[in-house]
Amino acid sequence: ESNANMPKPPEATPFVYSDSSGSDSSSGVTSDTTTPVSTFKPGAKLSQSQIQDLAVQVGFPSDVAPVISKIAMGESSGRSTAFNGKGADQSYGLMQINMLGDMGPERRKAFGLTSNEDLYDPLTNMKAAYEIYKTQGLEAWGAYTNGSYRQHL
């Protein structure tokens, strides 16, 4: 997919994994992870392992997180600023959260976003993906329904 028409990502809004205490005050995220990981900012390309850790951190069940990481690789190749504006898509970030039409205002409100570009932040994107997963399951992502996620085993 081309990034020629991609909206510009914000400059900051870092995501910081928690420290050994299990809490990080800058992101409000709690976790049982004890390994500090570098700050992810919009524009970062995340590995499948980093995406899996992030998925667990936002609440995905540990048995679902590996599949989520594969879906993210199928959707965005781990690129936090991936954008697809073709056809029935206006999809942003790691998990390609679709904001087309009426979904945009509804999802901005539901996810506490000020703009669609907020979804270029890896943490924000994964939190939104978790909310979508809770209501729609894995079938919400084309990389799951078309089986392309399996290429990322």
Side-chain angles (χ1 to χ4, degrees), residues 5-81:
N5 297 322
M6 180 178 78
K8 186 175 181 349
E11 292 300 315
T13 320
F15 164 67
V16 180
Y17 271 93
S18 65
D19 60 20
S20 61
S21 69
S23 177
D24 179 272
S25 59
S26 68
S27 66
V29 173
T30 58
S31 172
D32 61 3
T33 190
T34 57
T35 306
V37 179
S38 63
T39 301
F40 297 127
K41 295 182 180 179
K45 184 171 181 179
L46 281 67
S47 70
Q48 193 169 325
S49 175
Q50 290 169 320
I51 294 167
Q52 182 174 330
D53 290 345
L54 181 58
V56 170
Q57 203 165 41
V58 302
F60 280 100
S62 59
D63 61 329
V64 174
V67 177
I68 289 295
S69 69
K70 293 173 182 125
I71 290 170
M73 295 307 284
E75 294 283 346
S76 68
S77 300
R79 293 177 300 120
S80 63
T81 55

Side-chain angles (χ1 to χ4, degrees), residues 6-13 41-44 80-82 92 115-121:
M6 180 178 78
K8 186 175 181 349
E11 292 300 315
T13 320
K41 295 182 180 179
S80 63
T81 55
Y92 295 79
S115 73
N116 294 346
E117 289 77 13
D118 290 351
L119 291 167
Y120 289 139
D121 173 68

Side-chain angles (χ1 to χ4, degrees), residues 123-140:
L123 177 62
T124 301
N125 191 278
M126 194 58 71
K127 284 181 175 179
Y130 181 57
E131 292 304 312
I132 292 167
Y133 166 78
K134 290 192 301 187
T135 59
Q136 298 180 38
L138 297 173
E139 292 78 15

